[in-house]
Amino acid sequence: SDVAQFAQLINQLDTEKGEFTPFQRDYFTYLQTFLISLSGKFTEGIAQYQQLINTTRFDDIRYRALYSIINNYAVNRDFYNGSVYMERLSAMRDSIDDSSLLAQGDLTVGLFYTASGQYQLGYEQADLLLSRQLKPRNECLARHMKVEAFVLDTSLSVDEPFMDDAIAFCSPHGELLYAAFVTSNKVRHLIDSKRLDQAQQTLTTISDAVIASQYSRIMAQYYQLDAEI
């Protein structure tokens, strides 16, 4: 979740790419494109993912690129094209054996639902995922997805203890970025509840993590919330 550290890793791998197998070359291309997206260049990332989807002969790589391009479309609020790639992701599901990879695809579907305003579907997808045995990173993301759904949909009950539990779960597992996203949703809830002092105190707890992440999405959320308090 640290963009600078990830960029350093990519630069190191770039010096070794001459020795890569075909699978490793395609996976490295995927990681390079992921970094482009992580840096906030989502449209450029979409173009790179499209090329990889159309050229790789490895199902696992194509599946990763599919759920990643869906995420980029969601950020760009291009829900039509995102839905097109959701169908392609679903069609590939039976060809993937890696349960963690499948979980990541399912998480992306849920996040797409919440991004497109289909909060009830996102909430249900999160509950479905949390009923399974997940890796800590995926469980953290599923918790974040559930929080985002019930904070943004007024028809769903806000579960404040669940938010606190999600933050407490993500942070010790090193998922500081997702912990920051959950915290920002908690701040949103506190602002909506007119508890501005508590919102300001809560927002302050993630200031260092947000700045260190250099991730455009969480930084934009942070500064928007700060301006509203």
Side-chain angles (χ1 to χ4, degrees), residues 71 133 188:
N71 183 66
Q133 188 72 30
R188 163 57 54 210

Side-chain angles (χ1 to χ4, degrees), residues 40-41 67 74 79 92 99 108 125 133 160 167 171 179 199 211:
K41 301 174 184 176
Y67 66 63
F79 301 121
M92 275 202 71
S99 60
T108 301
Q125 185 82 344
Q133 188 72 30
E160 291 192 20
I167 295 166
S171 297
I211 294 169

Side-chain angles (χ1 to χ4, degrees), residues 154-201:
T154 55
S155 71
L156 296 170
S157 299
V158 172
D159 187 341
E160 291 192 20
F162 183 88
M163 283 193 277
D164 293 334
D165 288 345
I167 295 166
F169 177 85
C170 293
S171 297
H173 285 101
E175 298 299 338
L176 301 182
L177 181 60
Y178 289 125
F181 272 118
V182 174
T183 304
S184 72
N185 278 306
K186 181 179 180 180
V187 172
R188 163 57 54 210
H189 169 63
L190 292 170
I191 291 173
D192 292 344
S193 304
K194 309 300 182 186
R195 288 180 276 170
L196 299 185
D197 287 344
Q198 191 177 350
Q200 184 67 72
Q201 292 171 1

Side-chain angles (χ1 to χ4, degrees), residues 63 67 97-107 134-135 138:
Y63 196 79
Y67 66 63
D97 296 323
D98 186 334
S99 60
S100 180
L101 205 57
L102 289 170
Q104 192 64 50
D106 291 343
L107 284 162
L134 299 173
K135 290 185 177 180
N138 287 341

